[in-house]
Amino acid sequence: MTIRIAVNGAAGRMGRCLIQGVAQTEGLTLSAAIARVESSLLGLDAGELAGVGKLGVEITSDFGAAVAQSDIIVDFTLPEVTMELIPHCLESQCRLVIGTTGFSDEQKKLIEQAGEQIAIVLAPNMSVGVNLSLKLLDIAARVLGDDADIEIIEAHHRHKVDAPSGTALRMGEVIADALGRDLKTCSVYGREGRTGERDSKTIGFATVRAGDIVGDHTVMFAAEGERVEITHRASSRMTFALGAMRASSWLMSYKRGLYDMQDVLSLRD
Ligand SMILES: NC(=O)c1ccc[n+]([C@@H]2O[C@H](COP(=O)([O-])OP(=O)(O)OC[C@H]3O[C@@H](n4cnc5c(N)ncnc54)[C@H](OP(=O)(O)O)[C@@H]3O)[C@@H](O)[C@H]2O)c1
């Protein structure tokens, strides 16, 4: 069976990679490509826009029509756009793969509720390597425990609008869970001036925004006399797009539920 994939945010940096990802993945076909209603690209061929040749799918702004003719919609846009899309998915019982980052707690709750009716994969980072890194971070945190000071350093391109990255926050959550801490109360975002000594129970975040960096994350576990660093570097956005394709194929086995890439890659204990 060929899986019909719609791409939301088709004109974006990730949207174009996702169209390429669909075109190069066996068993997937592009059913719709959505851009915003004011976009000057409406009506163009999605394949030509993404540089993979004509696919016979015109860029549209019609969510309803797009989900009605698709098995799965892959969304890499903005939180408010994802929230606008969800009711259409519920109405058409269309599965959803969400790569968008920057959701508020309230928006996350609404996504969780939608997961009671349709199958959703929500992952701030779809790269297989990053998700393997999450597993390694869980192990490192459990082994090194409270003896290590933990700092998360991330770098992304100048166009990224949220900080720290969704991936850095997810890394922090995984570590906090492993150590029995609450990230909300133990995180420190940047430091300046007379900060006083470091509180050993905190998890620090540092953000770099520069040039065209696709996405670098390093987590440092610094203890007395030694330091463990786990680093992931993405060199092309295609890593996220191919992860989203893997999530899409996997999601077809489910009718409802909220999942993440740990589920897709069978990395849960
Ligand atoms: N999970 C992951 O692995 C992963 C990896 C990379 C990025 N991301 C996340 O994915 C999101 C997109 O990143 P990006 O770098 O591709 O950003 P981007 O280039 O700004 O793309 C966002 C796209 O959404 C479009 N959009 C805005 N309003 C819309 C609407 N109402 N309907 C349909 N499309 C609409 C924008 O259209 P215009 O061009 O017309 O403004 C733009 O093309 C961000 O949240 C980013 O953090 C996640």
Side-chain angles (χ1 to χ4, degrees), residues 98 120-139 142 167 170-171 173-175 177 232 243-244 246-247 250-251 254 258-269:
I98 305 174
I120 302 174
V121 171
L122 170 67
N125 194 312
M126 300 260 172
S127 128
V128 172
V130 159
N131 286 284
L132 171 63
S133 301
L134 292 176
K135 186 73 182 172
L136 298 175
L137 288 172
D138 176 66
I139 297 169
R142 285 175 202 280
T167 305
R170 184 75 198 112
M171 289 176 159
E173 278 168 8
V174 167
I175 294 165
D177 282 354
H232 178 271
R246 194 156 160 175
W250 179 89
L251 198 58
Y254 297 87
L258 178 60
Y259 306 97
D260 64 18
M261 286 302 280
Q262 301 287 300
D263 300 304
V264 174
L265 302 173
S266 306
L267 287 171
R268 276 198 205 293
D269 293 332

Side-chain angles (χ1 to χ4, degrees), residues 180-193:
R181 298 182 198 168
D182 178 2
L183 189 65
K184 279 206 174 67
T185 53
C186 76
S187 49
V188 174
Y189 297 105
R191 297 183 181 89
E192 194 186 21

Side-chain angles (χ1 to χ4, degrees), residues 101 124 154-156 160 162-170 205 207 209 216-217:
T101 62
E154 59 102 341
H156 282 85
K160 187 161 177 62
D162 52 325
S165 71
T167 305
L169 291 170
R170 184 75 198 112
F205 288 83
T207 294
R209 292 288 174 263
D216 290 357
H217 293 87

Side-chain angles (χ1 to χ4, degrees), residues 17-263:
C17 292
L18 290 162
I19 293 167
Q20 288 176 38
V22 176
Q24 73 183 59
T25 306
E26 213 173 300
L28 305 183
T29 185
L30 187 72
S31 49
I34 310 157
R36 68 163 108 200
V37 71
E38 307 86 0
S39 173
S40 58
L41 303 170
L42 297 180
L44 292 187
D45 186 273
E48 284 180 345
L49 178 71
V52 293
K54 211 172 172 70
L55 292 176
V57 176
E58 284 186 5
I59 306 278
T60 175
S61 62
D62 187 342
F63 280 149
V67 295
Q69 64 203 36
S70 306
D71 299 306
I72 297 191
I73 182 155
V74 182
D75 170 89
F76 282 63
T77 56
L78 296 164
E80 56 273 25
V81 179
T82 313
M83 301 322 289
E84 204 186 310
L85 170 68
I86 285 176
H88 296 280
C89 294
L90 294 177
E91 200 182 313
S92 296
Q93 287 293 296
C94 182
R95 294 169 179 82
L96 184 54
V97 171
I98 305 174
T100 301
T101 62
F103 292 108
S104 66
D105 287 347
E106 197 183 322
Q107 288 170 327
K108 281 185 198 160
K109 231 172 242 147
L110 291 171
I111 294 172
E112 221 174 288
Q113 283 168 11
E116 290 165 14
Q117 295 179 57
I118 55 171
I120 302 174
V121 171
L122 170 67
N125 194 312
M126 300 260 172
S127 128
V128 172
V130 159
N131 286 284
L132 171 63
S133 301
L134 292 176
K135 186 73 182 172
L136 298 175
L137 288 172
D138 176 66
I139 297 169
R142 285 175 202 280
V143 172
L144 297 165
D146 289 336
D147 291 339
D149 291 333
I150 301 163
E151 295 285 319
I152 303 175
I153 305 121
E154 59 102 341
H156 282 85
H157 53 89
R158 62 166 73 104
H159 303 291
K160 187 161 177 62
V161 294
D162 52 325
S165 71
T167 305
L169 291 170
R170 184 75 198 112
M171 289 176 159
E173 278 168 8
V174 167
I175 294 165
D177 282 354
L179 294 173
R181 298 182 198 168
D182 178 2
L183 189 65
K184 279 206 174 67
T185 53
C186 76
S187 49
V188 174
Y189 297 105
R191 297 183 181 89
E192 194 186 21
R194 277 184 68 80
T195 59
E197 280 194 11
R198 190 183 193 289
D199 175 345
S200 64
K201 288 283 171 61
T202 55
I203 297 176
F205 288 83
T207 294
V208 174
R209 292 288 174 263
D212 62 354
I213 301 169
V214 175
D216 290 357
H217 293 87
T218 292
V219 180
M220 183 186 289
F221 295 85
E224 284 283 321
E226 65 178 355
R227 191 162 83 224
V228 173
E229 292 181 6
I230 296 176
T231 294
H232 178 271
R233 295 189 203 285
S235 48
S236 151
R237 285 190 180 83
M238 278 312 286
T239 181
F240 310 122
L242 294 174
M245 298 305 112
R246 194 156 160 175
S248 299
S249 302
W250 179 89
L251 198 58
M252 283 307 286
S253 306
Y254 297 87
K255 279 204 155 47
R256 55 186 63 84
L258 178 60
Y259 306 97
D260 64 18
M261 286 302 280
Q262 301 287 300
D263 300 304

